[in-house]
Amino acid sequence: MTTTAQAARPAVRKSSPGAARGPRRRTGRVRRVGLPYLLLLPALLLELLVHLVPMVIGIVMSFKELTQFYIRDWGAAPWSALDNYRVSVDFDAPVGEALLHSFLVTIAFTLLSVGLCWLIGTAAAVFMQDTFRGRGLLRALFLVPYALPVYAAVITWVFMFQHDNGLVNHVLHDQLGLTDKPSFWLIGDNSFIALLTVSVWKGWPFAFLIVMAGLQNIPGELYEAAALDGAGVWQRIRRITLPSLRPVNQVLVLVLFLWTFNDFNTPFVLFGRTAPEAADLISVHIYQASFVTWNFGTGSAMSVLLLLFLLLVTGGYLALTSRGRRKTS
């Protein structure tokens, strides 16, 4: 009787614990793997809308004969193939010659600005490593040019560079007597010096901040051992500080180069829509080719050429620095 009742009952199959946890583990793993991508999705969408989509549109515009006659419907502008690029790189023609001059001015300006920013920032950071009274206040003052808004800072420099009542001419000519007469700083050849001064003034605190952060990772025992061995200040900087800061400087120089080469706000606020020939940076030159002469096709082609140049320089720089790191390691 008991045997018959037990046989009549439905067989209950017990599932193993591993079989029950298997799907849950897979679901948890999918959630852990997919959560970072889900959190990055809004930033990726904004990056797509703000940078990638306009960049693709600019590349398409560079192959069109887009002038002021097609502003309302730029999609109807006729295709020009590579004509805009031929005009831009024809250095015997006025457009190409002006672009080449602007490119050379930008190269000279970038090299000088990056070099001076790195030199001043590194010197200030090394000097600030020593403990003295008022060091914190001095560090804060050094960062003021970097913290100020670009437009407010550059407009202040515009007033300082005025010919008749500017502070620069008042100090150089009226008080120190270094010039025979007040100089024009916002026109002529002196405009390059004015632009370089403003760029270095607002750029070197960034180098100071990065180098000062990198110096915190250098053990103090290295300097103490070098001092016991009789090494002087310059030998310690050459043998310890600069080699230890090499990874930091590699990134710093690249960032400063890209920022300075693409700088548009400083020359535009300093000189207006039309920059002097001596300070005709390529960013302002492309703006003039696009929005002053209303030739958006040629301006887009210049922008694409600038993008290719910066990609080439960045790739070459990263390849050289990575090869140097492999050799040292």
Side-chain angles (χ1 to χ4, degrees), residues 11-35:
V12 179
R13 186 177 181 182
K14 295 182 179 181
S15 59
S16 61
R21 288 196 296 265
R24 295 180 181 177
R25 287 180 177 178
R26 287 195 294 269
T27 304
R29 188 181 301 111
V30 171
R31 289 178 178 176
R32 287 195 302 269
V33 174
L35 182 60

Side-chain angles (χ1 to χ4, degrees), residues 101 105 188-192 195 275-280:
H101 173 267
V105 170
D189 296 336
N190 290 332
S191 59
F192 183 86
L195 179 61
E277 186 177 359
D280 185 22

Side-chain angles (χ1 to χ4, degrees), residues 188-249:
D189 296 336
N190 290 332
S191 59
F192 183 86
I193 301 176
L195 179 61
L196 182 63
T197 301
V198 177
S199 177
V200 172
W201 177 82
K202 71 182 186 64
W204 78 265
F206 176 76
F208 163 72
L209 185 65
I210 299 301
V211 174
M212 187 173 59
L215 289 174
Q216 307 303 317
N217 297 324
I218 303 177
E221 293 79 5
L222 295 178
Y223 292 103
E224 294 177 1
L228 292 175
D229 292 338
V233 176
W234 295 111
Q235 290 179 339
R236 279 176 281 176
I237 293 175
R238 181 183 176 186
R239 301 295 182 180
I240 299 176
T241 305
L242 294 181
S244 300
L245 290 175
R246 184 174 300 169
V248 175
N249 286 328

Side-chain angles (χ1 to χ4, degrees), residues 1-209:
M1 186 68 181
T2 305
T3 306
T4 306
Q6 290 178 354
R9 293 176 184 175
V12 179
R13 186 177 181 182
K14 295 182 179 181
S15 59
S16 61
R21 288 196 296 265
R24 295 180 181 177
R25 287 180 177 178
R26 287 195 294 269
T27 304
R29 188 181 301 111
V30 171
R31 289 178 178 176
R32 287 195 302 269
V33 174
L35 182 60
Y37 296 99
L38 183 62
L39 295 176
L40 288 175
L41 184 61
L44 293 176
L45 292 177
L46 289 176
E47 181 72 18
L48 180 66
L49 293 175
V50 174
H51 290 95
L52 297 182
V53 173
M55 184 174 65
V56 173
I57 294 175
I59 294 175
V60 174
M61 290 170 56
S62 67
F63 295 100
K64 284 179 169 288
E65 191 179 344
L66 184 58
T67 59
Q68 68 268 29
F69 302 106
Y70 299 98
I71 294 298
R72 298 185 62 181
D73 187 12
W74 69 272
W79 287 93
S80 61
L82 297 176
D83 290 344
N84 292 325
Y85 292 92
R86 295 191 186 98
V87 171
S88 300
V89 299
D90 186 7
F91 302 134
D92 295 329
V95 176
E97 183 181 1
L99 180 62
L100 178 61
H101 173 267
S102 177
F103 176 76
L104 296 177
V105 170
T106 308
I107 288 290
F109 165 75
T110 303
L111 293 178
L112 290 173
S113 179
V114 171
L116 291 174
C117 287
W118 177 85
L119 182 62
I120 298 174
T122 303
V126 172
F127 173 73
M128 285 295 165
Q129 289 303 108
D130 296 332
T131 303
F132 56 90
R133 181 176 297 181
R135 184 179 65 169
L137 177 61
L138 200 56
R139 283 180 175 178
L141 291 177
F142 282 173
L143 295 177
V144 168
Y146 181 68
L148 285 176
V150 176
Y151 286 91
V154 178
I155 288 176
T156 303
W157 277 100
V158 171
F159 287 106
M160 293 173 62
F161 281 128
Q162 291 298 318
H163 176 264
D164 296 327
N165 53 4
L167 179 63
V168 176
N169 279 335
H170 176 69
V171 173
L172 296 180
H173 177 69
D174 298 338
Q175 293 187 348
L176 300 179
L178 298 178
T179 57
D180 298 334
K181 56 182 179 179
S183 303
F184 289 95
W185 294 103
L186 300 180
I187 59 175
D189 296 336
N190 290 332
S191 59
F192 183 86
I193 301 176
L195 179 61
L196 182 63
T197 301
V198 177
S199 177
V200 172
W201 177 82
K202 71 182 186 64
W204 78 265
F206 176 76
F208 163 72
L209 185 65

